[in-house]
């Protein structure tokens, strides 16, 4: 197992907010928290509600961070980047590197009291593997050949080929273990309301009023360290200014997505703190490669040199981001530093001329306000593109409508030559950050390859990286793939890597802020 652990030593440490405030108590109190000077409820304001709490369906940070409070995976990232057991006590891989056997913890209970067993794992993964479900998670497990119950507490997973990122994949919340009875009962409605959620995590859902309030309560039969705060309330506030006011007035204890211009002021207010940390998160504008003009490689090369990334950061996100240097952020395993792409307007014009557009062309940028400063980003990029002769109309879409355009439609239907996107793999491995997103779609629809990007060499490199178990060889394969995606045949305009940020009451201690940008409260307390 050592060679698999070695290559997964990434910056995945759990980050404590204790440094921002007074230290938390050294030991878990033996009496109720409120009797020890702590509140029994933490109120948190994200910018939006969870879209789905079905591990197989959730595909955004807001949903995933709630799922992490409710469910568990077979393995997890430890505080120093090592991979450790979660629901699995131990594991081993066969000599041919294709069959993984996991010994499960005994006595783990779902929220309804049902015991988690090998049948739970099989039921979860069978659902993910079933192509008739049409789940995006199917791409993540496409290398799985079969899942078998060895005995009540032992399960084996056989892959079609050796899979170098298997241990990282087992940490992915998209593969959190669910109750098969709930899968059968709720089908694709699982995770859509409080009644349909039954995990093994430290918290359980007690109520959920869409776009208003999601209430979690500690799971008394949790097999790990018990949550220190009884309730966590998620109260989504879409407007950034309103979130800040809610924090300042004490209506909420913490907010996510702090506007960059507000950070210095909030840091100066007594009783408030702002926490920042590097993450897997990136912001880019992807290319719709089905477009008759943007599908031209030289056009895409021209556009990546037309943009001034530092000017965008200085204008919109000072102190909360830094220029991207690859299609992966530095905290992701397999990242290759390819350098910042500096604006070069003359080079952009030359490439446009070589592509057959010496006088530029007209195009469209699609954006949504769901992403921070999404409209402003599009406006600045349109302005910069105009300097090299490209006139871009801006189309602003509601989040729900935008999601429908990047999931399950054909190239003929897709109409977004340039479109805003976030990026960052929850499994913190290059396989999760590249495969599916930039490999040729086999269905003809944009299930994960939103912009219909297709490059034969990239396909081959990413496929080889998936099957390779030698970490150094995997890195070389992914480096070459990133060179193509980022510079030679670009799939998008990578703008900046993001810092996860959290503004909170200084009385709030030990919130877990992970490099995958999720914020969880399983260890948190808040003083009265």
């Amino acid at each position: 197992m050592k060679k698999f652990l070695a290559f997964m030593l990434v910056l995945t440490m759990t980050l404590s907010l204790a440094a921002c405030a007074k230290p938390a108590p050294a030991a878990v109190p033996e009496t109720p928290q409120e009797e020890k000077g702590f509140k029994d409820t933490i109120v948190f304001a994200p910018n939006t509600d969870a879209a789905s709490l079905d591990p197989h369906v959730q595909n955004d940070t807001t949903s995933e961070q709630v799922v992490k409070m409710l469910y568990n995976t077979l393995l997890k990232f430890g505080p120093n980047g090592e991979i450790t057991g979660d629901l699995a006590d131990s594991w081993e891989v066969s000599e041919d590197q294709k069959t993984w056997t996991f010994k499960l913890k005994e006595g783990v209970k779902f929220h309804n009291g049902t015991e988690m067993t090998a049948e739970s794992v099989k039921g979860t993964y069978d659902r993910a593997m079933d192509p008739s479900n049409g789940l995006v998670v199917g791409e993540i497990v496409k290398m799985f050949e079969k899942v078998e119950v060895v005995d009540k507490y032992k399960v084996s997973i056989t892959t079609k080929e050796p899979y170098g990122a298997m241990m990282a994949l087992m940490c992915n919340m998209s593969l959190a273990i669910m109750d098969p009875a709930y899968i059968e009962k709720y089908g694709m409605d699982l995770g859509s309301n409080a009644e349909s959620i039954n995990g093994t995590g430290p918290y359980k859902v007690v109520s959920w009023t869409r776009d208003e309030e999601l209430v979690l309560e500690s799971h008394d039969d949790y097999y790990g360290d018990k949550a220190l705060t009884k309730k966590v309330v998620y109260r989504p506030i879409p407007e950034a200014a309103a979130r800040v006011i809610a924090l300042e007035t004490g209506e909420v204890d913490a907010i996510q997505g702090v506007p960059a211009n507000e950070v210095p002021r909030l840091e100066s207010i007594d009783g408030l703190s702002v926490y920042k940390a590097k993450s897997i998160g990136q912001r880019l504008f992807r290319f719709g490669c089905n477009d008759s003009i943007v599908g031209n490689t030289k056009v895409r090369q021209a556009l990546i040199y037309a943009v001034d990334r530092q000017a965008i950061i200085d204008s919109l996100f000072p102190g909360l981001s830094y220029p991207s240097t690859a299609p992966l952020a530095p905290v992701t395993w397999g990242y290759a530093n390819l350098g910042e792409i500096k604006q070069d307007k003359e080079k952009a014009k030359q490439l446009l001329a070589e592509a057959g557009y010496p006088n530029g062309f007209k195009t469209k940028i699609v954006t949504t306000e769901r992403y921070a400063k999404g409209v402003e980003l599009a406006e600045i990029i349109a302005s910069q593109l105009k300097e090299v002769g490209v006139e871009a109309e801006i189309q602003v879409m509601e989040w729900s409508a935008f999601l429908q355009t990047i999931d399950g439609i054909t190239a003929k239907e897709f109409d977004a030559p340039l479109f805003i996107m976030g990026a960052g793999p929850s499994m913190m491995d290059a396989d999760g950050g590249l495969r599916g997103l930039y490999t040729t779609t086999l269905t003809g629809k944009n299930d994960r390859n939103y912009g219909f990007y297709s490059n034969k060499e990239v396909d081959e490199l990413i496929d080889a990286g998936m099957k390779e178990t030698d970490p150094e060889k995997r890195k070389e394969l992914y480096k070459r793939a990133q060179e193509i995606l980022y510079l030679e045949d670009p799939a998008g305009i990578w703008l900046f890597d993001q810092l996860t940020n959290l503004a909170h009451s200084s009385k709030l201690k030990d919130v877990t802020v992970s490099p995958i940008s999720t914020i969880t409260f399983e260890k948190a307390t808040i003083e009265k």
Side-chain angles (χ1 to χ4, degrees):
M1 298 306 301
K2 289 183 178 179
K3 69 176 182 178
F4 291 96
L5 289 172
F7 79 79
M8 287 309 303
L9 291 178
V10 290
L11 295 177
T12 59
M13 70 180 94
T14 299
L15 302 168
S16 170
L17 294 183
C20 302
K22 300 175 184 177
V28 178
E30 296 179 355
T31 54
Q33 287 293 90
E34 56 268 28
E35 294 180 13
K36 287 290 185 176
F38 295 96
K39 295 181 182 179
D40 67 357
T41 302
I42 293 170
V43 182
F44 175 51
N47 65 336
T48 187
D49 197 4
S52 172
L53 297 180
D54 179 341
H56 286 168
V57 174
Q58 58 83 23
N59 195 32
D60 63 279
T61 300
T62 304
S63 300
E64 181 162 351
Q65 63 191 7
V66 181
V67 167
K68 287 184 74 172
M69 299 274 281
L70 306 174
Y71 289 91
N72 296 92
T73 46
L74 292 185
L75 305 180
K76 64 181 179 180
F77 290 114
N80 297 311
E82 76 280 13
I83 291 180
T84 65
D86 193 356
L87 292 175
D89 259 337
S90 61
W91 56 97
E92 59 185 15
V93 63
S94 61
E95 192 171 333
D96 66 1
Q97 307 292 311
K98 292 198 292 185
T99 298
W100 293 75
T101 302
F102 296 88
K103 177 69 173 66
L104 305 177
K105 286 182 168 68
E106 298 184 18
V108 174
K109 299 292 182 64
F110 284 102
H111 296 152
N112 69 347
T114 301
E115 187 178 14
M116 187 279 304
T117 67
E119 292 287 356
S120 310
V121 179
K122 179 173 171 56
T124 298
Y125 291 172
D126 281 351
R127 180 187 191 234
M129 295 164 61
D130 186 350
S132 68
N133 290 327
L135 295 165
V136 174
V137 73
E139 173 66 28
I140 297 175
V141 297
K142 76 173 188 178
M143 78 295 293
F144 285 15
E145 185 173 74
K146 60 182 178 180
V147 180
E148 296 180 301
V149 172
V150 179
D151 61 37
K152 186 176 181 180
Y153 300 111
K154 189 177 290 185
V155 63
S156 69
I157 304 169
T158 301
T159 58
K160 298 168 186 175
E161 302 283 347
Y163 178 48
M166 185 67 169
M167 290 176 62
L169 182 66
M170 293 295 97
C171 302
N172 193 322
M173 288 310 300
S174 292
L175 294 182
I177 306 306
M178 295 181 278
D179 182 352
Y182 272 59
I183 292 174
E184 182 178 357
K185 179 177 181 180
Y186 292 99
M188 293 308 296
D189 290 327
L190 189 149
S192 63
N193 54 52
E195 293 73 25
S196 66
I197 300 163
N198 187 32
T200 58
Y203 281 88
K204 58 186 178 183
V205 178
V206 293
S207 66
W208 188 8
T209 304
R210 286 280 184 173
D211 299 319
E212 292 184 16
E213 187 175 81
L214 171 64
V215 180
L216 308 188
E217 189 175 280
S218 56
H219 176 202
D220 291 338
D221 286 333
Y222 183 57
Y223 65 92
D225 293 334
K226 302 295 188 293
L228 298 178
T229 299
K230 184 177 181 180
K231 289 184 179 180
V232 176
V233 176
Y234 293 78
R235 197 165 290 160
I237 303 176
E239 299 79 17
R243 285 198 303 279
V244 171
I245 292 172
L247 177 65
E248 290 186 85
T249 59
E251 179 185 341
V252 301
D253 302 307
I255 63 173
Q256 194 169 14
V258 185
N261 62 305
E262 289 280 19
V263 170
R265 187 180 68 83
L266 291 176
E267 289 177 325
S268 69
I269 296 176
D270 187 40
L272 296 182
S273 300
V274 179
Y275 185 80
K276 295 173 284 187
K278 288 188 176 182
S279 75
I280 59 169
Q282 296 182 294
R283 180 72 69 245
L284 70 154
F285 276 78
R286 284 190 63 165
F287 295 121
C289 295
N290 62 317
D291 183 78
S292 59
I293 298 176
V294 174
N296 185 314
T297 295
K298 283 193 178 292
V299 167
R300 283 181 272 130
Q301 288 176 332
L303 297 185
I304 69 173
Y305 287 105
V307 174
D308 186 340
R309 292 153 181 77
Q310 192 60 56
I312 291 172
I313 292 169
D314 292 343
S315 174
L316 300 179
F317 303 100
L320 292 181
S321 58
Y322 51 99
S324 295
T325 53
L328 300 170
V331 298
T332 301
W333 188 93
Y335 157 82
N337 187 350
L338 304 178
E340 178 187 346
I341 300 174
K342 299 286 188 179
Q343 185 184 44
D344 189 334
K345 289 185 279 190
E346 292 309 310
K347 186 171 185 176
K349 291 176 182 178
Q350 177 187 335
L351 286 163
L352 285 173
E354 292 175 10
Y357 301 97
N359 300 313
F361 59 89
K362 292 184 178 181
T363 190
K364 179 170 66 173
I365 298 175
V366 177
T367 191
T368 173
E369 293 180 331
R370 165 66 171 74
Y371 289 109
K373 304 287 185 181
V375 175
E376 293 91 333
L377 275 169
E379 290 172 344
I380 292 178
I381 289 174
S383 175
Q384 293 178 348
L385 294 185
K386 190 173 183 179
E387 294 176 8
V388 299
V390 176
E391 294 186 26
E393 169 196 356
I394 296 173
Q395 179 182 356
V396 181
M397 299 184 72
E398 293 293 330
W399 179 239
S400 58
F402 180 76
L403 285 178
Q404 292 175 15
T405 70
I406 59 167
D407 183 16
I409 67 173
T410 65
K412 186 177 181 180
E413 299 169 300
F414 188 69
D415 183 25
L418 266 172
F419 58 100
I420 195 170
M421 186 54 56
S426 295
M427 62 189 285
M428 297 196 64
D429 185 280
D431 178 69
L434 303 178
R435 183 166 56 84
L437 294 169
Y438 307 110
T439 48
T440 303
T441 175
L442 300 178
T443 65
K445 297 182 178 181
N446 61 344
D447 298 324
R448 288 190 79 224
N449 185 344
Y450 311 120
F452 295 95
Y453 179 85
S454 181
N455 181 293
K456 183 179 179 181
E457 186 179 358
V458 169
D459 289 347
E460 292 171 348
L461 288 163
I462 293 174
D463 186 63
M466 177 180 72
K467 298 173 182 177
E468 181 58 63
T469 58
D470 183 295
E472 294 307 314
K473 291 180 181 178
R474 288 188 74 220
K475 284 182 180 179
E476 288 304 312
L477 291 165
Y478 289 131
K479 179 181 180 181
R480 178 65 190 132
Q482 289 174 79
E483 288 171 345
I484 299 170
L485 289 165
Y486 187 64
L487 296 167
E488 297 174 21
D489 185 29
I493 304 172
W494 272 268
L495 298 174
F496 50 82
D497 297 351
Q498 300 168 296
L499 298 178
T500 294
N501 68 79
L502 176 75
H504 61 97
S505 164
S506 297
K507 294 181 178 181
L508 180 63
K509 314 288 175 55
D510 295 328
V511 176
T512 302
V513 183
S514 83
I516 66 170
S517 301
T518 56
I519 295 167
T520 55
F521 300 91
E522 68 277 9
K523 299 177 181 178
T525 58
I526 184 165
E527 297 171 352
K528 287 183 177 178

